[in-house]
């Protein structure tokens, strides 16, 4: 069984894992930077890159120690090579290059989005190819037909903003702290998802693309009007995003 030491640093989370070729995760560590970015209401690229520099070496040692594996025993080193915040990507990629060079191992440069596309097979080892993937991260919102490693067909994308960006914007409009997604979800638990009439952009259209700019604008109007409880706005916004996800994914399945 081949062993891969994998590094991820494309945004504000530092992650290290030791993964076997049988898709078993032998050891892993993840550290977020929420406290560092919270005062700014979002991710500051320079702060994120500096944090990766400080955090990654210790995480690498921790994962190797937990798995009782020496760096010379791994078969390859993998690192995110983009897309992402360029400073963070460079930190992880350079760390990976250094480790690979010192240990005499090959370096595998991984596309961040390809990592998302294939990650379901790590948690569901019975998942067969091909499958339809809803990729909804902070900066991306796509529907992909995953046919195999390196073999994908993009069926849809957002024509303006990603869902993650919409969550961050909604959180700011509601006066919530960073990170926005968990804050909106927590507030929504005490709200009525049917209380605020919000649009479902592109729902029902033929092509399964996404759009969230109009939904963000509607949330802003609801906040400014003062007619609705913040909890109801959060719940209604969250439900609108989910409805868009469900409708667009069903449409992609229909035409795939």
């Amino acid at each position: 069984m081949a062993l891969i030491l994998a590094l991820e640093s494309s945004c504000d989370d530092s992650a290290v894992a030791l993964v076997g070729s049988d898709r078993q995760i032998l050891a892993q560590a993840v550290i977020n930077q929420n406290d560092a970015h919270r005062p700014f209401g979002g991710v500051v690229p320079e702060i994120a890159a500096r944090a990766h520099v400080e955090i990654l070496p210790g995480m690498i040692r921790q994962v190797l120690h937990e798995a009782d594996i020496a760096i010379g025993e791994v078969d390859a080193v993998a690192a995110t090579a983009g897309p992402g915040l360029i400073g963070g990507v460079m930190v992880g990629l350079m760390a990976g290059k250094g480790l690979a060079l010192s240990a005499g191992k090959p370096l595998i440069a991984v596309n961040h989005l390809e990592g998302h596309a294939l990650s379901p097979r790590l948690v569901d080892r019975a998942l067969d190819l091909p499958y339809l993937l809803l990729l909804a991260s902070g900066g991306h919102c796509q529907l992909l037909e995953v046919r195999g490693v390196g073999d994908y067909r993009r069926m849809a994308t957002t024509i303006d903003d990603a869902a993650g960006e919409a969550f961050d914007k909604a959180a700011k409009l509601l006066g919530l702290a960073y990170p926005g997604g968990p804050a909106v979800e927590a507030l929504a638990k005490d709200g009525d998802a049917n209380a605020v009439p919000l649009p479902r952009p592109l729902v029902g259209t033929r092509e399964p693309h996404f759009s969230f700019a109009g939904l963000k604008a509607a949330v802003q109007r609801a906040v400014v009007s003062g007619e609705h409880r913040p909890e109801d706005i959060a719940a209604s916004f969250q439900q609108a995003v989910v409805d868009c996800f469900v409708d667009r994914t069903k449409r992609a399945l229909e035409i795939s």
Side-chain angles (χ1 to χ4, degrees):
M1 180 182 68
L3 295 176
I4 310 298
L5 180 66
L7 314 179
E8 152 62 12
S9 59
S10 63
C11 193
D12 60 328
D13 282 356
S14 301
V16 179
L18 190 65
V19 186
S21 55
D22 62 351
R23 289 182 271 155
Q24 180 180 355
I25 300 173
L26 281 71
Q28 63 177 323
V30 180
I31 297 178
N32 67 56
Q33 304 173 12
N34 292 345
D35 291 342
H37 299 287
R38 186 169 289 113
F40 305 96
V43 178
V44 180
E46 178 65 19
I47 292 176
R50 288 177 181 271
H52 289 308
V53 171
E54 297 170 357
I55 294 170
L56 276 175
M59 295 177 67
I60 294 168
R61 289 192 293 268
Q62 174 189 337
V63 166
L64 292 173
H65 176 75
E66 181 180 333
D68 194 22
I69 296 291
I71 186 62
E73 297 177 80
V74 305
D75 294 284
V77 178
T80 300
L85 299 180
I86 187 61
V89 169
M90 291 301 293
V91 171
L93 189 57
M94 292 302 103
K97 283 185 176 181
L99 284 170
L101 181 62
S102 65
K105 307 295 181 178
L107 175 74
I108 303 171
V110 179
N111 181 288
H112 172 197
L113 300 186
E114 184 171 24
H116 281 306
L118 295 173
S119 61
R121 302 192 75 211
L122 288 176
V123 295
D124 183 359
R125 299 173 67 188
L127 179 62
D128 291 329
L129 297 163
Y131 54 84
L132 180 69
L133 175 83
L134 169 62
L135 196 167
S137 64
H140 302 90
C141 192
Q142 301 177 355
L143 284 164
L144 303 172
E145 180 187 357
V146 182
R147 300 167 172 170
V149 177
D151 186 6
Y152 314 96
R153 178 168 71 103
R154 192 179 74 177
M155 301 184 65
T157 187
T158 177
I159 64 174
D160 41 53
D161 301 320
E165 195 277 337
F167 264 93
D168 287 341
K169 181 63 174 180
K172 287 185 178 181
L173 290 169
L174 290 166
L176 302 176
Y178 174 86
V184 170
E185 182 180 15
L187 184 63
K189 290 180 180 178
D190 296 320
D192 179 357
N194 298 309
V196 185
L198 295 176
R200 272 68 170 164
L202 298 185
V203 163
T205 56
R206 183 178 183 280
E207 296 298 327
H209 296 301
F210 299 93
S211 172
F212 294 103
L215 178 57
K216 287 194 311 181
V219 169
Q220 182 177 30
R221 290 193 293 271
V223 172
V224 172
S225 73
E227 298 175 0
H228 308 282
R229 297 191 310 144
E231 295 87 347
D232 292 339
I233 297 175
S236 298
F237 165 75
Q238 187 170 260
Q239 187 61 53
V241 174
V242 170
D243 289 347
C244 291
F245 280 162
V246 172
D247 178 85
R248 305 289 73 205
T249 303
K250 285 183 176 179
R251 181 57 186 152
L253 287 171
E254 292 171 355
I255 65 177
S256 62

